[in-house]
Amino acid sequence: MKLVTKGWLIVAIPSLFEVVLLASLFKTQADAEEAERWAAHSALVMNHASDVREPMLLESARIRNAVIINDPTPISRPEMWADVDAKIGELQKLVEDNTEQERAVAGIREAVANYRTWADSARQRMQNGQREALIAQLRDEAGPHRLAEFRTRLARFIETERQLAIERNEDLQDARDSQTILLIAAVLGSILAAGLASYAFTRNIGKRVEVLTENARRLADGGELAERVRGNDEISQLDDVLHRTSERLTRANEEAVRYRTEIEQRARELDEVNTHLRAQTQDNEMFIYSVSHDLRSPLVNLQGFSKEIMHATKDLSAEIEALEAPAANKRRIRELIDDDLHTSLRFIQNAVTRAAGIIDAMLRLSRAGRVEYLPVMTDINAIAQRIVDAMSGSIRAKGATVVIQPDLPPAYGDPTAVEQVFGNLVGNAVNYLDAQRPGQIEVGCLAGDGSDGLNTYFVRDNGLGIASAHLGRMFSAFQRLHGNVAQGEGIGLALVKRVVERHGGRIWVESSEGVGSTFFVALPAQPGQAGLVSAG
């Protein structure tokens, strides 16, 4: 028999008993709610009946007071009778379920109508000067002014409703008593059902589960499992899974030993490769330094000799002027010197200057990976302000405005390197502003919880922007998008990226051509949250 079937048998009988008790409990609950509703209904009816009595008594008092002061104005006001009629209408709606009470409300309405007729006649007699006759009528112990009929009918109506309220409260109490008894029976039945289920579980399933639990513990401890659990239900199937798992774990441990040996071998090989790569890196740096050193000498010679040739052409021009030769020949020679020779020399000098700049850039790029940083908690506000103060001349020349957000959070890094990063980004923002509109540059920090251990700063401008096709090459060396706008070799952003990555951070850019650019720099917020990459 399957474990599910056993479970159904264990649970079904006590559950059926509980369902019956629960249904009875719901029935008594519904009866109690219904009785409570009718009891509240009776109280509401009596309250509305009392609301009808008050304005009638007040009207009787107003009539007597009007007679005393000889002023018929307060007698039989239409708004008062409209209010009484509305309250009687509400009372009639409340007793629509009770024919006897509905007839009683009709009698109350008739008594009110009779009294109103008398009140209207009293007002008319006051207006006609029959005050003395009205006083005589009021002194009479009987008559329509005494509200006797209204009071009698209303008192009878309230007494009837009070008897109904008593009966309904008794019904409510009976329903609550039944509900309490059934609730106690349900609790006791649940306890009994739980006890029976527990006994059946312990007797039929518990022992086999103990064996299964012991096998699971042994499997977790890596020990040998006990004999298999007998049967064909889910417990025996699970125990079979544990035994097969134990066998697979044994094979997996053997494989793990073999893999560990292989991983150790691969680690040794990787260490040798890293050593080789470090040696190659050092060789590359030495090669770059050697090439840069060797290239400087011929470049210096080219620069010097081009200047000498430039000076010699000036002397040559002076000598030509002193020659006795036709003016046309002299003019032709001067054109050759000024247009061809001088232009060629300027091209040579510009090329030499460009080559020297590239050599310097290569040296700076190679040194970026060898600088040892001294990280501390760095004040980004102070760094940003120093950069803006140092570039104030260029900023004013561009007619730009630089805004630094207050209270920028500090970053953990080398102060000089961090200042180099922000100086490069702010400098680029100033250099590549759009001359067609006022420049706006903002240095700030994105709001965030710092869950990744990084603070994300940004430098935003409304400059020329970057086309989407060029965004992927912005941090590569010797890549220049607007070469005719500002001078440089195109390694600034490559150096910035290298510095940021060595701090364990990230840098990226978002830009739209003709709108502006935003460079984001994520740096460690605290020591230990993102480690600096060592030099080498």
Side-chain angles (χ1 to χ4, degrees), residues 180-360:
T180 302
I181 294 172
L182 283 174
L183 182 61
I184 295 172
V187 172
L188 294 177
S190 298
I191 295 174
L192 179 61
L196 292 174
S198 176
Y199 175 77
F201 179 84
T202 302
R203 183 177 181 84
N204 298 303
I205 301 174
K207 293 182 179 179
R208 299 170 68 237
V209 171
E210 289 179 1
V211 177
L212 180 64
T213 304
E214 177 64 19
N215 281 339
R217 186 189 63 79
R218 292 186 182 185
L219 179 63
D221 295 339
E224 184 178 355
L225 272 62
E227 294 183 2
R228 295 178 181 270
V229 175
R230 298 177 181 177
N232 61 350
D233 58 7
E234 288 83 355
I235 295 178
S236 60
Q237 293 173 4
L238 182 57
D239 184 70
D240 181 65
V241 171
L242 292 179
H243 279 80
R244 287 189 281 113
T245 302
S246 177
E247 296 170 357
R248 291 178 180 176
L249 286 176
T250 301
R251 292 195 298 269
N253 287 333
E254 296 173 354
E255 291 291 327
V257 172
R258 184 172 63 83
Y259 289 147
R260 189 180 300 111
T261 303
E262 185 176 350
I263 289 172
E264 291 174 353
Q265 177 63 28
R266 295 290 186 271
R268 288 191 294 269
E269 294 175 357
L270 181 60
D271 185 63
E272 294 176 359
V273 171
N274 288 333
T275 303
H276 180 65
L277 286 176
R278 283 193 293 269
Q280 282 187 339
T281 301
Q282 293 175 354
D283 291 342
N284 289 338
E285 292 176 355
M286 291 179 62
F287 174 74
I288 292 173
Y289 180 80
S290 175
V291 169
S292 301
H293 181 271
D294 292 342
L295 287 178
R296 284 185 184 276
S297 179
L299 289 176
V300 170
N301 290 334
L302 281 173
Q303 186 75 9
F305 283 123
S306 63
K307 290 181 180 180
E308 290 294 332
I309 295 173
M310 184 69 74
H311 290 306
T313 56
K314 293 179 180 180
D315 295 337
L316 181 59
S317 297
E319 291 295 333
I320 291 172
E321 291 297 330
L323 290 177
E324 295 181 0
N329 292 340
K330 291 181 180 182
R331 184 170 59 255
R332 174 60 180 161
I333 294 173
R334 282 196 303 272
E335 290 176 354
L336 291 174
I337 293 173
D338 294 337
D339 296 340
D340 296 340
L341 189 56
H342 283 184
T343 300
S344 300
L345 288 173
R346 281 194 296 272
F347 278 132
I348 292 173
Q349 290 176 347
N350 290 337
V352 169
T353 303
R354 175 65 175 162
I358 292 175
I359 291 172
D360 290 338

Side-chain angles (χ1 to χ4, degrees), residues 374-414:
L374 299 176
V376 294
M377 292 305 298
T378 304
D379 188 348
I380 303 300
N381 280 102
I383 285 178
Q385 192 59 56
R386 281 200 305 270
I387 292 170
V388 173
D389 292 342
M391 300 180 63
S392 58
S394 300
I395 294 171
R396 284 196 301 271
K398 291 281 189 176
T401 302
V402 180
V403 177
I404 302 174
Q405 284 186 0
D407 301 325
L408 294 177
Y412 183 70
D414 183 87

Side-chain angles (χ1 to χ4, degrees), residues 41-58:
H41 178 78
S42 294
L44 182 63
V45 169
M46 287 188 287
N47 289 336
H48 275 74
S50 298
D51 291 342
V52 174
R53 177 171 51 197
E54 182 179 355
M56 295 295 292
L57 296 177
L58 289 175

